[in-house]
Amino acid sequence: SRKSKHQKLYSKYNIPHIGQASFIYSVAGLYENIADYCLGKSNAHGELMALAAYGKSIHEQAFYDPGLLVTVNSNNEVIFRNDWQHKVPVKPDFAQQAVLAWRCQEATEAALLAYAKIAKSLTGSNNLCVAGGVFLNILGNTAIASSGIFENFFVPSAPHDGGIAIGCAFHGARLLGETCQKVTTDRLGPYQSNASCLASLKAKQSFIHWRSISDEQVIDAISQGKIVARYKERSEFGPRALGARSLLATPLNENIKIRLNKIKGRQKWRPIAPVIPANEFDRFFEGPKDSQWMTQSQKIHSEFRESLPVLRHPDNSTRAQTLHKNCDPQLFSWLTTIGDQTGFPILANTSFNRHGEPIIESPQEALNMFLCCSDIDLLLLGPFIVERRNLINSLQANDLRLSSKVFLTTMFRGSKQYFNISNGLLTWSLTNDLYETLQKLGLVNMSASKVFSLHSSNPKSLSIITQLLINEVITIL
């Protein structure tokens, strides 16, 4: 931007091709195609980036290596190879997937560095601001930031398409003659009052009890190895959990990584990110420290790698959130106190949601997920700390009633039969014994007046009934 006007200096267009699903002509296309091939689904870019950390160390044992996927000539022109696709294994094992993921990440970083050099040569500027979904690739961002090409490098919290909303707001403000201030927080979601949190708690009071948050209780729970879900005021705008919609836990207990990935429905090898006070960063990590939005990657100092098993990754990388006190005084205070007690002012921090679902937005969503996920030990909802009641006795001692417009279905997948219950919007899978109990009431359009008792002690059946209760498909009389 020069004199408040934008001037286009460079453009590059993709080449149309009849086989766009396989013919690679951009960084985004490369990453999407390889992610789809390795992981069998679209939009698995974060998983591929995590998988890449395993590839470099095992490529000699994988008996497969496609070699460099891009070349960069003397003019920093990026040339994508397209002679490797027909050589990939039909059913790659983990090692082969990891090697291909590593080569893809290597190519991504090489291409982004080439584009950064082009930007420098065209503008002569020492400052680079980037946007686009490719810049959710924290390793690519770190390669640019560490290259020394620019003095200042900025990645917004939401560089993907959703971030366009922020750019439009700035552009509109400028057209209206407003003074634009630097964005210092990512917590831009709708404000949730304490009153709305309390109303949601009262609606679920059969399942929970609550009290005002005590900092000491929260710190003690985390120190004991409990996983704490935190829901505080406005949600984060970008895709990263930064404390307002987070699952928090100690990084010192290796079992925490297993439990967090179970909650998230992720592969057990996926890394967990830390949050740390900005003033403590240099003691534990090396790399870009201006990382309040978790857009860059760091390395754990060698002397702390064994002590932080939840953060451990094969290449010793991590994606730290550096927290300043004014951004979240309460969380900053917890980190400081935990540091005084353990020597590690660090918490494992991942987003408060399940796999394939958006980050939790409303108090009701927070409560429903908490009640359905037994691995979450405590919920911090606004100013309240929430715990579950023991529902087993109530389930077995009281009559239950199905809500209206509920029906049972069966389906076949291969040679297996599956049983479900649905309210027309959501569907839950049932165990055989629970299905038989409900089937006695009639198969479809069961009346809300139908009353039944649950005598099963099957833990899976009790878990399903609990979910149905939470979602008001079944009620306790």
Side-chain angles (χ1 to χ4, degrees):
S1 177
R2 292 174 177 157
K3 297 181 179 179
S4 299
K5 293 184 179 180
H6 296 89
Q7 180 181 358
K8 183 169 71 173
L9 298 177
Y10 177 82
S11 294
K12 186 172 182 179
Y13 299 95
N14 289 334
I15 303 170
H17 191 274
I18 193 169
Q20 291 190 37
S22 59
F23 187 80
I24 306 302
Y25 47 75
S26 69
V27 174
L30 176 69
Y31 226 86
E32 171 63 22
N33 277 271
I34 291 181
D36 190 23
Y37 165 72
C38 286
L39 300 160
K41 56 188 175 182
S42 297
N43 298 316
H45 314 122
E47 295 175 47
L48 191 73
M49 185 166 53
L51 183 62
Y54 293 82
K56 187 174 183 179
S57 61
I58 64 175
H59 77 280
E60 293 180 356
Q61 292 80 38
F63 304 107
Y64 167 72
D65 186 351
L68 297 175
L69 301 183
V70 302
T71 56
V72 180
N73 65 22
S74 58
N75 295 321
N76 289 310
E77 181 184 4
V78 178
I79 303 164
F80 291 89
R81 279 184 50 214
N82 277 285
D83 61 349
W84 56 269
Q85 291 93 329
H86 65 285
K87 300 176 184 178
V88 297
V90 175
K91 293 183 178 180
D93 58 23
F94 178 85
Q96 292 166 335
Q97 291 174 342
V99 168
L100 186 55
W102 163 57
R103 286 299 192 185
C104 179
Q105 182 61 43
E106 175 189 55
T108 296
E109 293 175 32
L112 292 182
L113 280 172
Y115 296 144
K117 291 174 182 177
I118 291 173
K120 177 71 176 223
S121 66
L122 288 170
T123 66
S125 175
N126 284 319
N127 305 313
L128 179 65
C129 177
V130 297
V134 166
F135 294 103
L136 287 173
N137 190 295
I138 61 169
L139 298 175
N141 293 341
T142 305
I144 296 173
S146 304
S147 67
I149 300 172
F150 298 94
E151 293 180 10
N152 300 298
F153 176 60
F154 178 76
V155 186
S157 68
H160 55 48
D161 289 350
I164 293 172
I166 297 294
C168 290
F170 271 97
H171 181 63
R174 176 172 288 179
L175 291 178
L176 294 172
E178 300 288 341
T179 300
C180 297
Q181 297 181 345
K182 181 181 178 181
V183 174
T184 58
T185 180
D186 188 51
R187 299 183 184 181
L188 303 174
Y191 180 77
Q192 303 291 344
S193 68
N194 292 342
S196 66
C197 291
L198 184 58
S200 298
L201 290 169
K202 289 180 177 179
K204 300 290 187 185
Q205 58 187 338
S206 297
F207 315 122
I208 55 174
H209 53 86
W210 64 90
R211 58 189 180 277
S212 296
I213 284 179
S214 160
D215 290 345
E216 183 179 355
Q217 290 175 331
V218 173
I219 292 168
D220 285 348
I222 291 173
S223 299
Q224 292 167 17
K226 293 184 177 180
I227 294 176
V228 175
R230 187 176 190 235
Y231 178 102
K232 185 173 177 63
E233 298 174 348
R234 298 182 185 275
S235 58
E236 296 90 346
F237 175 76
R240 312 298 189 201
L242 303 173
R245 301 291 188 275
S246 286
L247 299 174
L248 302 171
T250 176
L252 308 178
N253 183 341
E254 190 164 14
N255 188 51
I256 291 293
K257 182 176 182 178
I258 297 170
R259 292 177 62 201
L260 284 172
N261 279 331
K262 177 184 174 184
I263 292 169
K264 302 283 291 178
R266 302 191 304 198
Q267 301 93 332
K268 62 183 180 181
W269 44 263
R270 294 282 294 277
I272 304 295
V275 55
I276 183 172
N279 59 299
E280 295 276 13
F281 175 87
D282 289 329
R283 188 150 64 100
F284 297 94
F285 305 106
E286 59 184 85
K289 66 176 71 176
D290 183 14
S291 185
Q292 69 176 106
W293 293 326
M294 302 171 76
T295 53
Q296 297 186 52
S297 176
Q298 299 85 16
K299 296 282 187 180
I300 305 172
H301 285 320
S302 57
E303 63 266 36
F304 298 119
R305 289 169 188 167
E306 293 301 316
S307 302
L308 298 167
V310 178
L311 312 183
R312 192 182 300 145
H313 208 44
D315 60 357
N316 300 311
S317 67
T318 192
R319 183 185 67 196
Q321 174 194 355
T322 51
L323 184 69
H324 295 274
K325 185 175 182 179
N326 64 320
C327 294
D328 193 329
Q330 185 181 57
L331 181 55
F332 190 93
S333 174
W334 294 346
L335 289 165
T336 301
T337 302
I338 288 171
D340 292 340
Q341 293 179 356
T342 67
F344 293 90
I346 304 169
L347 286 177
N349 171 27
T350 192
S351 58
F352 187 8
N353 66 312
R354 285 170 288 210
H355 181 70
E357 297 180 359
I359 292 177
I360 294 296
E361 182 55 54
S362 69
Q364 294 90 337
E365 291 173 358
L367 280 165
N368 285 355
M369 181 171 170
F370 169 62
L371 288 167
C372 290
C373 294
S374 59
D375 274 300
I376 301 176
D377 299 295
L378 292 174
L379 170 64
L380 309 180
L381 189 71
F384 307 105
I385 186 168
V386 186
E387 295 179 281
R388 300 178 190 83
R389 296 185 187 276
N390 188 335
L391 291 179
I392 303 303
N393 293 336
S394 295
L395 287 173
Q396 295 180 327
N398 293 278
D399 287 333
L400 306 174
R401 185 174 68 190
L402 288 162
S403 302
S404 60
K405 299 181 180 178
V406 171
F407 53 92
L408 297 179
T409 63
T410 62
M411 64 175 292
F412 292 90
R413 187 176 300 151
S415 60
K416 292 186 177 181
Q417 186 176 17
Y418 297 87
F419 308 110
N420 304 303
I421 186 170
S422 176
N423 61 2
L425 179 64
L426 300 173
T427 300
W428 296 265
S429 297
L430 303 178
T431 58
N432 288 358
D433 67 326
L434 182 53
Y435 179 83
E436 290 173 2
T437 298
L438 299 178
Q439 188 183 35
K440 293 175 183 178
L441 301 176
L443 283 176
V444 294
N445 297 324
M446 289 182 287
S447 168
S449 64
K450 297 275 188 174
V451 176
F452 66 99
S453 298
L454 182 71
H455 301 293
S456 172
S457 59
N458 183 325
K460 189 172 181 180
S461 291
L462 293 172
S463 173
I464 294 167
I465 285 287
T466 301
Q467 293 180 43
L468 298 177
L469 280 165
I470 292 164
N471 288 279
E472 301 176 356
V473 173
I474 288 177
T475 58
I476 299 177
L477 296 183

